Amino acid sequence: EVRLEESGGGLVQAGGSLRLSCAASGFTFDDYAIGWFRQAPGKVREGVSCISSSGGDTLYLDSVKGRFPISRDNANNTVYLQMNNLKPEDAAVYYCAAGYYSDSLHRGEYDYWGQGTQVTVSS
């Protein structure tokens, strides 16, 4: 059974940090790119960052560049999103997703999805 499980969300003040984790199982993890997406109430789900299967290539939404480094640990089937200098507009449910042929932040390229973790940023 394929599983992606996000953790690390919570409530933080603006300017603070959180580290999200995405633990994967049930598929060959190091064959898949992993993406992070977010969806705020009333808004479309948008791609935040993705990392290639090897970890050698990364991509970021312009508004998070320099604040949200993404990394992966293929030995432990986990991807991380370190979120620094959080802003109220970063508040959303954050999802991780796995895609075999993914190299962008387009949702349609991703095959498996987690259930999401809530990030709330107070001003």
Side-chain angles (χ1 to χ4, degrees):
E1 178 190 5
V2 171
R3 287 194 66 182
L4 291 168
E5 185 169 0
E6 304 91 342
S7 61
L11 171 64
V12 64
Q13 287 188 329
S17 297
L18 287 172
R19 188 175 81 156
L20 303 185
S21 299
C22 172
S25 61
F27 61 100
T28 306
F29 182 73
D30 52 9
D31 281 348
Y32 283 73
I34 302 294
W36 283 99
F37 295 78
R38 67 186 181 187
Q39 188 166 18
K43 295 191 176 181
V44 174
R45 189 175 298 189
E46 65 176 353
V48 174
S49 181
C50 65
I51 187 166
S52 63
S53 56
S54 68
D57 295 299
T58 57
L59 193 61
Y60 295 95
L61 182 68
D62 282 348
S63 63
V64 308
K65 280 181 183 176
R67 298 191 296 127
F68 287 13
I70 189 172
S71 61
R72 66 188 294 160
D73 178 354
N74 282 355
N76 290 296
N77 288 9
T78 303
V79 170
Y80 303 98
L81 186 70
Q82 177 67 44
M83 303 192 298
N84 301 316
N85 189 21
L86 280 157
K87 304 176 180 181
E89 54 264 40
D90 294 319
V93 177
Y94 281 71
Y95 302 87
C96 66
Y100 191 77
Y101 294 107
S102 309
D103 62 358
S104 77
L105 295 177
H106 293 300
R107 291 176 294 163
E109 292 188 6
Y110 290 82
D111 307 304
Y112 307 124
W113 291 82
Q115 295 299 306
T117 186
Q118 177 73 50
V119 172
T120 304
V121 184
S122 63
S123 56

PDB file of all heavy atoms in Angstrom, residues 60-87:
ATOM      1  N   TYR A  60      11.266  25.860  -6.868  1.00  0.00           N
ATOM      2  CA  TYR A  60      10.532  26.580  -5.828  1.00  0.00           C
ATOM      3  C   TYR A  60       9.544  27.563  -6.429  1.00  0.00           C
ATOM      4  O   TYR A  60       9.807  28.193  -7.462  1.00  0.00           O
ATOM      5  CB  TYR A  60      11.490  27.364  -4.929  1.00  0.00           C
ATOM      6  CG  TYR A  60      12.425  26.488  -4.133  1.00  0.00           C
ATOM      7  CD1 TYR A  60      13.705  26.204  -4.596  1.00  0.00           C
ATOM      8  CD2 TYR A  60      12.026  25.948  -2.911  1.00  0.00           C
ATOM      9  CE1 TYR A  60      14.563  25.391  -3.874  1.00  0.00           C
ATOM     10  CE2 TYR A  60      12.877  25.139  -2.175  1.00  0.00           C
ATOM     11  CZ  TYR A  60      14.139  24.861  -2.655  1.00  0.00           C
ATOM     12  OH  TYR A  60      14.982  24.061  -1.933  1.00  0.00           O
ATOM     13  N   LEU A  61       8.429  27.731  -5.740  1.00  0.00           N
ATOM     14  CA  LEU A  61       7.510  28.821  -5.995  1.00  0.00           C
ATOM     15  C   LEU A  61       8.260  30.117  -5.690  1.00  0.00           C
ATOM     16  O   LEU A  61       8.997  30.193  -4.699  1.00  0.00           O
ATOM     17  CB  LEU A  61       6.294  28.660  -5.084  1.00  0.00           C
ATOM     18  CG  LEU A  61       5.155  29.656  -5.189  1.00  0.00           C
ATOM     19  CD1 LEU A  61       4.441  29.503  -6.513  1.00  0.00           C
ATOM     20  CD2 LEU A  61       4.193  29.452  -4.025  1.00  0.00           C
ATOM     21  N   ASP A  62       8.073  31.131  -6.501  1.00  0.00           N
ATOM     22  CA  ASP A  62       8.847  32.364  -6.322  1.00  0.00           C
ATOM     23  C   ASP A  62       8.709  32.938  -4.913  1.00  0.00           C
ATOM     24  O   ASP A  62       9.684  33.428  -4.337  1.00  0.00           O
ATOM     25  CB  ASP A  62       8.400  33.416  -7.340  1.00  0.00           C
ATOM     26  CG  ASP A  62       8.972  33.169  -8.726  1.00  0.00           C
ATOM     27  OD1 ASP A  62       9.889  32.325  -8.847  1.00  0.00           O
ATOM     28  OD2 ASP A  62       8.504  33.813  -9.681  1.00  0.00           O
ATOM     29  N   SER A  63       7.531  32.873  -4.366  1.00  0.00           N
ATOM     30  CA  SER A  63       7.291  33.522  -3.070  1.00  0.00           C
ATOM     31  C   SER A  63       7.969  32.809  -1.898  1.00  0.00           C
ATOM     32  O   SER A  63       8.046  33.371  -0.801  1.00  0.00           O
ATOM     33  CB  SER A  63       5.802  33.646  -2.804  1.00  0.00           C
ATOM     34  OG  SER A  63       5.197  32.377  -2.706  1.00  0.00           O
ATOM     35  N   VAL A  64       8.484  31.597  -2.105  1.00  0.00           N
ATOM     36  CA  VAL A  64       9.149  30.880  -1.008  1.00  0.00           C
ATOM     37  C   VAL A  64      10.645  30.693  -1.258  1.00  0.00           C
ATOM     38  O   VAL A  64      11.346  30.155  -0.400  1.00  0.00           O
ATOM     39  CB  VAL A  64       8.497  29.510  -0.722  1.00  0.00           C
ATOM     40  CG1 VAL A  64       6.998  29.665  -0.523  1.00  0.00           C
ATOM     41  CG2 VAL A  64       8.807  28.500  -1.816  1.00  0.00           C
ATOM     42  N   LYS A  65      11.132  31.128  -2.409  1.00  0.00           N
ATOM     43  CA  LYS A  65      12.559  30.976  -2.703  1.00  0.00           C
ATOM     44  C   LYS A  65      13.393  31.652  -1.639  1.00  0.00           C
ATOM     45  O   LYS A  65      13.151  32.784  -1.256  1.00  0.00           O
ATOM     46  CB  LYS A  65      12.875  31.599  -4.069  1.00  0.00           C
ATOM     47  CG  LYS A  65      12.520  30.735  -5.244  1.00  0.00           C
ATOM     48  CD  LYS A  65      12.889  31.426  -6.561  1.00  0.00           C
ATOM     49  CE  LYS A  65      12.471  30.594  -7.746  1.00  0.00           C
ATOM     50  NZ  LYS A  65      12.724  31.285  -9.027  1.00  0.00           N
ATOM     51  N   GLY A  66      14.403  30.929  -1.168  1.00  0.00           N
ATOM     52  CA  GLY A  66      15.281  31.461  -0.137  1.00  0.00           C
ATOM     53  C   GLY A  66      14.751  31.297   1.272  1.00  0.00           C
ATOM     54  O   GLY A  66      15.478  31.545   2.237  1.00  0.00           O
ATOM     55  N   ARG A  67      13.484  30.895   1.425  1.00  0.00           N
ATOM     56  CA  ARG A  67      12.899  30.710   2.764  1.00  0.00           C
ATOM     57  C   ARG A  67      12.590  29.249   3.076  1.00  0.00           C
ATOM     58  O   ARG A  67      12.626  28.857   4.242  1.00  0.00           O
ATOM     59  CB  ARG A  67      11.605  31.511   2.893  1.00  0.00           C
ATOM     60  CG  ARG A  67      11.770  33.011   2.758  1.00  0.00           C
ATOM     61  CD  ARG A  67      10.485  33.739   3.173  1.00  0.00           C
ATOM     62  NE  ARG A  67       9.356  33.432   2.316  1.00  0.00           N
ATOM     63  CZ  ARG A  67       8.168  32.996   2.753  1.00  0.00           C
ATOM     64  NH1 ARG A  67       7.961  32.813   4.036  1.00  0.00           N
ATOM     65  NH2 ARG A  67       7.174  32.758   1.895  1.00  0.00           N
ATOM     66  N   PHE A  68      12.269  28.434   2.068  1.00  0.00           N
ATOM     67  CA  PHE A  68      11.766  27.075   2.262  1.00  0.00           C
ATOM     68  C   PHE A  68      12.679  26.049   1.578  1.00  0.00           C
ATOM     69  O   PHE A  68      12.290  25.416   0.592  1.00  0.00           O
ATOM     70  CB  PHE A  68      10.365  26.944   1.659  1.00  0.00           C
ATOM     71  CG  PHE A  68       9.237  27.606   2.380  1.00  0.00           C
ATOM     72  CD1 PHE A  68       9.446  28.519   3.393  1.00  0.00           C
ATOM     73  CD2 PHE A  68       7.922  27.302   2.022  1.00  0.00           C
ATOM     74  CE1 PHE A  68       8.396  29.130   4.046  1.00  0.00           C
ATOM     75  CE2 PHE A  68       6.844  27.896   2.664  1.00  0.00           C
ATOM     76  CZ  PHE A  68       7.089  28.824   3.670  1.00  0.00           C
ATOM     77  N   PRO A  69      13.846  25.792   2.062  1.00  0.00           N
ATOM     78  CA  PRO A  69      14.675  24.777   1.420  1.00  0.00           C
ATOM     79  C   PRO A  69      14.066  23.378   1.549  1.00  0.00           C
ATOM     80  O   PRO A  69      13.545  23.021   2.603  1.00  0.00           O
ATOM     81  CB  PRO A  69      16.007  24.868   2.164  1.00  0.00           C
ATOM     82  CG  PRO A  69      15.672  25.485   3.476  1.00  0.00           C
ATOM     83  CD  PRO A  69      14.533  26.415   3.218  1.00  0.00           C
ATOM     84  N   ILE A  70      14.141  22.622   0.465  1.00  0.00           N
ATOM     85  CA  ILE A  70      13.638  21.255   0.439  1.00  0.00           C
ATOM     86  C   ILE A  70      14.827  20.301   0.410  1.00  0.00           C
ATOM     87  O   ILE A  70      15.862  20.602  -0.183  1.00  0.00           O
ATOM     88  CB  ILE A  70      12.710  21.027  -0.782  1.00  0.00           C
ATOM     89  CG1 ILE A  70      12.003  19.681  -0.708  1.00  0.00           C
ATOM     90  CG2 ILE A  70      13.489  21.169  -2.102  1.00  0.00           C
ATOM     91  CD1 ILE A  70      10.927  19.489  -1.787  1.00  0.00           C
ATOM     92  N   SER A  71      14.674  19.147   1.051  1.00  0.00           N
ATOM     93  CA  SER A  71      15.741  18.147   1.062  1.00  0.00           C
ATOM     94  C   SER A  71      15.109  16.777   1.180  1.00  0.00           C
ATOM     95  O   SER A  71      13.926  16.648   1.508  1.00  0.00           O
ATOM     96  CB  SER A  71      16.716  18.406   2.211  1.00  0.00           C
ATOM     97  OG  SER A  71      16.051  18.332   3.458  1.00  0.00           O
ATOM     98  N   ARG A  72      15.905  15.752   0.890  1.00  0.00           N
ATOM     99  CA  ARG A  72      15.380  14.397   1.016  1.00  0.00           C
ATOM    100  C   ARG A  72      16.456  13.465   1.555  1.00  0.00           C
ATOM    101  O   ARG A  72      17.652  13.673   1.334  1.00  0.00           O
ATOM    102  CB  ARG A  72      14.827  13.878  -0.308  1.00  0.00           C
ATOM    103  CG  ARG A  72      15.814  13.657  -1.417  1.00  0.00           C
ATOM    104  CD  ARG A  72      15.086  13.326  -2.733  1.00  0.00           C
ATOM    105  NE  ARG A  72      14.383  12.039  -2.674  1.00  0.00           N
ATOM    106  CZ  ARG A  72      13.394  11.707  -3.488  1.00  0.00           C
ATOM    107  NH1 ARG A  72      12.972  12.555  -4.412  1.00  0.00           N
ATOM    108  NH2 ARG A  72      12.831  10.512  -3.398  1.00  0.00           N
ATOM    109  N   ASP A  73      15.985  12.441   2.230  1.00  0.00           N
ATOM    110  CA  ASP A  73      16.836  11.403   2.798  1.00  0.00           C
ATOM    111  C   ASP A  73      16.347  10.083   2.224  1.00  0.00           C
ATOM    112  O   ASP A  73      15.400   9.483   2.752  1.00  0.00           O
ATOM    113  CB  ASP A  73      16.725  11.435   4.325  1.00  0.00           C
ATOM    114  CG  ASP A  73      17.552  10.359   5.014  1.00  0.00           C
ATOM    115  OD1 ASP A  73      18.128   9.515   4.320  1.00  0.00           O
ATOM    116  OD2 ASP A  73      17.607  10.383   6.242  1.00  0.00           O
ATOM    117  N   ASN A  74      16.966   9.646   1.157  1.00  0.00           N
ATOM    118  CA  ASN A  74      16.498   8.426   0.485  1.00  0.00           C
ATOM    119  C   ASN A  74      16.723   7.173   1.327  1.00  0.00           C
ATOM    120  O   ASN A  74      16.031   6.175   1.147  1.00  0.00           O
ATOM    121  CB  ASN A  74      17.160   8.292  -0.880  1.00  0.00           C
ATOM    122  CG  ASN A  74      16.523   9.205  -1.920  1.00  0.00           C
ATOM    123  OD1 ASN A  74      15.529   9.869  -1.649  1.00  0.00           O
ATOM    124  ND2 ASN A  74      17.115   9.250  -3.102  1.00  0.00           N
ATOM    125  N   ALA A  75      17.669   7.216   2.229  1.00  0.00           N
ATOM    126  CA  ALA A  75      17.898   6.058   3.098  1.00  0.00           C
ATOM    127  C   ALA A  75      16.725   5.841   4.050  1.00  0.00           C
ATOM    128  O   ALA A  75      16.468   4.708   4.484  1.00  0.00           O
ATOM    129  CB  ALA A  75      19.184   6.246   3.894  1.00  0.00           C
ATOM    130  N   ASN A  76      16.020   6.927   4.371  1.00  0.00           N
ATOM    131  CA  ASN A  76      14.897   6.851   5.306  1.00  0.00           C
ATOM    132  C   ASN A  76      13.559   7.203   4.677  1.00  0.00           C
ATOM    133  O   ASN A  76      12.571   7.398   5.391  1.00  0.00           O
ATOM    134  CB  ASN A  76      15.161   7.760   6.509  1.00  0.00           C
ATOM    135  CG  ASN A  76      16.264   7.227   7.381  1.00  0.00           C
ATOM    136  OD1 ASN A  76      16.138   6.148   7.966  1.00  0.00           O
ATOM    137  ND2 ASN A  76      17.367   7.954   7.463  1.00  0.00           N
ATOM    138  N   ASN A  77      13.534   7.275   3.344  1.00  0.00           N
ATOM    139  CA  ASN A  77      12.278   7.506   2.606  1.00  0.00           C
ATOM    140  C   ASN A  77      11.525   8.729   3.123  1.00  0.00           C
ATOM    141  O   ASN A  77      10.303   8.694   3.322  1.00  0.00           O
ATOM    142  CB  ASN A  77      11.365   6.275   2.698  1.00  0.00           C
ATOM    143  CG  ASN A  77      11.856   5.116   1.877  1.00  0.00           C
ATOM    144  OD1 ASN A  77      12.974   5.141   1.360  1.00  0.00           O
ATOM    145  ND2 ASN A  77      11.060   4.074   1.757  1.00  0.00           N
ATOM    146  N   THR A  78      12.253   9.807   3.318  1.00  0.00           N
ATOM    147  CA  THR A  78      11.648  11.010   3.885  1.00  0.00           C
ATOM    148  C   THR A  78      12.108  12.254   3.128  1.00  0.00           C
ATOM    149  O   THR A  78      13.274  12.347   2.721  1.00  0.00           O
ATOM    150  CB  THR A  78      12.017  11.146   5.377  1.00  0.00           C
ATOM    151  OG1 THR A  78      11.611   9.970   6.075  1.00  0.00           O
ATOM    152  CG2 THR A  78      11.315  12.349   6.006  1.00  0.00           C
ATOM    153  N   VAL A  79      11.181  13.167   2.958  1.00  0.00           N
ATOM    154  CA  VAL A  79      11.483  14.480   2.385  1.00  0.00           C
ATOM    155  C   VAL A  79      11.115  15.532   3.420  1.00  0.00           C
ATOM    156  O   VAL A  79      10.125  15.391   4.142  1.00  0.00           O
ATOM    157  CB  VAL A  79      10.702  14.704   1.083  1.00  0.00           C
ATOM    158  CG1 VAL A  79      10.813  16.148   0.613  1.00  0.00           C
ATOM    159  CG2 VAL A  79      11.215  13.778  -0.010  1.00  0.00           C
ATOM    160  N   TYR A  80      11.911  16.586   3.450  1.00  0.00           N
ATOM    161  CA  TYR A  80      11.712  17.662   4.411  1.00  0.00           C
ATOM    162  C   TYR A  80      11.475  18.983   3.698  1.00  0.00           C
ATOM    163  O   TYR A  80      12.050  19.234   2.634  1.00  0.00           O
ATOM    164  CB  TYR A  80      12.938  17.809   5.317  1.00  0.00           C
ATOM    165  CG  TYR A  80      13.296  16.555   6.043  1.00  0.00           C
ATOM    166  CD1 TYR A  80      14.298  15.720   5.566  1.00  0.00           C
ATOM    167  CD2 TYR A  80      12.636  16.192   7.203  1.00  0.00           C
ATOM    168  CE1 TYR A  80      14.633  14.550   6.225  1.00  0.00           C
ATOM    169  CE2 TYR A  80      12.959  15.023   7.874  1.00  0.00           C
ATOM    170  CZ  TYR A  80      13.954  14.204   7.383  1.00  0.00           C
ATOM    171  OH  TYR A  80      14.278  13.052   8.034  1.00  0.00           O
ATOM    172  N   LEU A  81      10.657  19.816   4.312  1.00  0.00           N
ATOM    173  CA  LEU A  81      10.509  21.197   3.872  1.00  0.00           C
ATOM    174  C   LEU A  81      10.733  22.077   5.089  1.00  0.00           C
ATOM    175  O   LEU A  81       9.907  22.112   6.008  1.00  0.00           O
ATOM    176  CB  LEU A  81       9.114  21.444   3.279  1.00  0.00           C
ATOM    177  CG  LEU A  81       8.915  22.821   2.652  1.00  0.00           C
ATOM    178  CD1 LEU A  81       9.732  22.929   1.349  1.00  0.00           C
ATOM    179  CD2 LEU A  81       7.438  23.096   2.367  1.00  0.00           C
ATOM    180  N   GLN A  82      11.876  22.727   5.107  1.00  0.00           N
ATOM    181  CA  GLN A  82      12.196  23.652   6.189  1.00  0.00           C
ATOM    182  C   GLN A  82      11.586  25.003   5.856  1.00  0.00           C
ATOM    183  O   GLN A  82      11.940  25.607   4.846  1.00  0.00           O
ATOM    184  CB  GLN A  82      13.719  23.784   6.331  1.00  0.00           C
ATOM    185  CG  GLN A  82      14.164  24.779   7.379  1.00  0.00           C
ATOM    186  CD  GLN A  82      13.806  24.341   8.788  1.00  0.00           C
ATOM    187  OE1 GLN A  82      13.983  23.181   9.146  1.00  0.00           O
ATOM    188  NE2 GLN A  82      13.310  25.290   9.591  1.00  0.00           N
ATOM    189  N   MET A  83      10.679  25.467   6.663  1.00  0.00           N
ATOM    190  CA  MET A  83       9.979  26.721   6.388  1.00  0.00           C
ATOM    191  C   MET A  83      10.453  27.790   7.372  1.00  0.00           C
ATOM    192  O   MET A  83      10.182  27.687   8.575  1.00  0.00           O
ATOM    193  CB  MET A  83       8.466  26.516   6.490  1.00  0.00           C
ATOM    194  CG  MET A  83       7.960  25.432   5.553  1.00  0.00           C
ATOM    195  SD  MET A  83       6.159  25.404   5.401  1.00  0.00           S
ATOM    196  CE  MET A  83       5.719  25.035   7.080  1.00  0.00           C
ATOM    197  N   ASN A  84      11.146  28.774   6.863  1.00  0.00           N
ATOM    198  CA  ASN A  84      11.710  29.850   7.668  1.00  0.00           C
ATOM    199  C   ASN A  84      11.029  31.169   7.356  1.00  0.00           C
ATOM    200  O   ASN A  84      10.480  31.354   6.266  1.00  0.00           O
ATOM    201  CB  ASN A  84      13.212  29.977   7.396  1.00  0.00           C
ATOM    202  CG  ASN A  84      13.974  28.708   7.698  1.00  0.00           C
ATOM    203  OD1 ASN A  84      13.752  28.065   8.729  1.00  0.00           O
ATOM    204  ND2 ASN A  84      14.885  28.335   6.815  1.00  0.00           N
ATOM    205  N   ASN A  85      11.108  32.091   8.299  1.00  0.00           N
ATOM    206  CA  ASN A  85      10.526  33.422   8.119  1.00  0.00           C
ATOM    207  C   ASN A  85       9.090  33.316   7.592  1.00  0.00           C
ATOM    208  O   ASN A  85       8.728  33.929   6.584  1.00  0.00           O
ATOM    209  CB  ASN A  85      11.385  34.252   7.154  1.00  0.00           C
ATOM    210  CG  ASN A  85      10.969  35.707   7.099  1.00  0.00           C
ATOM    211  OD1 ASN A  85      10.322  36.217   8.022  1.00  0.00           O
ATOM    212  ND2 ASN A  85      11.306  36.374   6.013  1.00  0.00           N
ATOM    213  N   LEU A  86       8.289  32.543   8.280  1.00  0.00           N
ATOM    214  CA  LEU A  86       6.916  32.313   7.836  1.00  0.00           C
ATOM    215  C   LEU A  86       6.099  33.590   7.866  1.00  0.00           C
ATOM    216  O   LEU A  86       6.260  34.443   8.758  1.00  0.00           O
ATOM    217  CB  LEU A  86       6.264  31.237   8.701  1.00  0.00           C
ATOM    218  CG  LEU A  86       6.666  29.818   8.303  1.00  0.00           C
ATOM    219  CD1 LEU A  86       6.483  28.851   9.462  1.00  0.00           C
ATOM    220  CD2 LEU A  86       5.859  29.360   7.091  1.00  0.00           C
ATOM    221  N   LYS A  87       5.215  33.696   6.896  1.00  0.00           N
ATOM    222  CA  LYS A  87       4.337  34.849   6.755  1.00  0.00           C
ATOM    223  C   LYS A  87       2.891  34.389   6.850  1.00  0.00           C
ATOM    224  O   LYS A  87       2.592  33.219   6.557  1.00  0.00           O
ATOM    225  CB  LYS A  87       4.584  35.513   5.400  1.00  0.00           C
ATOM    226  CG  LYS A  87       6.032  35.913   5.170  1.00  0.00           C
ATOM    227  CD  LYS A  87       6.237  36.482   3.775  1.00  0.00           C
ATOM    228  CE  LYS A  87       7.701  36.867   3.567  1.00  0.00           C
ATOM    229  NZ  LYS A  87       7.926  37.450   2.223  1.00  0.00           N
TER     230      LYS A  87
END
